Amino acid sequence: MSKALRSAGKYRSEQEAFWAGSFGNAYIGRNRDAGLIASNLALFSRVLERTNGIGSVIELGANIGLNLKAIRDLLPQAACTGVEINAKAVQTLKKIPGVKAIHSSLYDFRATPHDFAFTKTVLIHQRPDLLPQAYDQLASSSRRFVAIIEYYNPNPVEVVYRGHSEKLFKRDFAHEFMDRHQSFRLVEYGFVYRHDAMFPQDDLTWFLLERQPARR
């Protein structure tokens, strides 16, 4: 467990405790399908198509690293880091060659700039009033590109998640992020579909953002 989690003695929210505990462990078992790697390769090849010069990547909420595995195949020279709150997932994440695993809440790790920082189905599980802090960590983790890959809704809504309330929220995360961090502009966006015949994903909307140079 990270020093941050040890010293706090508790999590920032019940949502964090939910994912760090038995439900998060069960999630690992449901998401080991090798087909997810192929779907992730198809997704990230689209997201990364509009980028260049990516030498380092960080994922906030990496779980067992299925997204980073795909990125490692697409960008084999990139140094990859995954931040993950669930201890069981971190043990698997540590075994991926070329990936540095950080066991921490996404709010508590010390963010350092990478060329490409992203979340994938992580912001949807955060307590809404903590999202500004999550956006700050994501921005601080990127020197250039940010990708936000989440469930989209134009207005904030809560969705019951596997029988649990207050565990999944949809909203326009990318717009909120850019409102808070106005040095980023939208580069591209897209949608992946759960009924795709070749590379199904959850019904996710992805946004690629780029940090603009500071004006002199």
Side-chain angles (χ1 to χ4, degrees):
M1 182 176 288
S2 72
K3 290 181 180 178
L5 292 183
R6 285 201 303 269
S7 62
K10 60 183 180 180
Y11 299 103
R12 292 289 188 98
S13 66
E14 66 174 273
Q15 288 80 8
E16 284 203 328
F18 184 75
W19 285 100
S22 59
F23 187 91
N25 293 342
Y27 177 88
I28 294 168
R30 293 196 302 271
N31 288 273
R32 290 185 178 273
D33 185 355
L36 289 174
I37 296 292
S39 294
N40 283 338
L41 280 166
L43 169 60
F44 284 103
S45 65
R46 292 173 61 190
V47 174
L48 293 168
E49 187 177 19
R50 294 289 300 275
T51 69
N52 57 74
I54 303 297
S56 58
V57 174
I58 186 167
E59 179 179 10
L60 308 191
N63 200 253
I64 60 173
L66 296 183
N67 301 315
L68 291 174
K69 280 185 176 181
I71 288 175
R72 287 282 296 160
D73 285 345
L74 294 166
L75 302 173
Q77 303 305 314
C80 292
T81 299
V83 180
E84 173 56 40
I85 198 170
N86 183 281
K88 184 176 179 181
V90 167
Q91 293 308 307
T92 300
L93 189 62
K94 287 180 176 178
K95 297 176 183 178
I96 303 174
V99 173
K100 176 183 177 182
I102 298 175
H103 183 204
S104 176
S105 160
L106 69 84
Y107 303 103
D108 295 327
F109 82 101
R110 184 175 179 180
T112 56
H114 293 64
D115 296 323
F116 180 81
F118 74 99
T119 66
K120 181 170 180 270
T121 62
V122 167
L123 298 178
I124 58 172
H125 297 302
Q126 304 306 307
R127 199 173 78 192
D129 66 312
L130 290 176
L131 281 173
Q133 295 178 52
Y135 297 150
D136 292 349
Q137 285 287 72
L138 189 56
S140 296
S141 297
S142 171
R143 68 170 58 93
R144 191 170 177 199
F145 292 103
V146 160
I148 294 174
I149 308 168
E150 306 283 345
Y151 297 149
Y152 170 84
N153 204 70
N155 301 303
V157 295
E158 179 191 342
V159 179
V160 174
Y161 179 60
R162 292 183 173 266
H164 297 274
S165 61
E166 297 186 344
K167 299 299 184 295
L168 193 154
F169 308 89
K170 297 181 181 182
R171 57 202 302 139
D172 190 343
F173 298 100
H175 182 71
E176 292 178 358
F177 177 90
M178 287 187 289
D179 267 356
R180 187 169 178 86
H181 295 280
Q182 297 186 10
S183 61
F184 285 87
R185 72 171 180 86
L186 179 65
V187 176
E188 188 59 275
Y189 61 93
F191 177 74
V192 286
Y193 186 39
R194 59 180 168 155
H195 295 304
D196 187 285
M198 288 295 293
F199 303 114
Q201 291 265 3
D202 285 343
D203 292 337
L204 300 175
T205 304
W206 59 266
F207 300 86
L208 176 66
L209 318 174
E210 184 176 10
R211 187 189 291 275
Q212 300 304 291
R215 293 181 179 180
R216 295 182 179 180

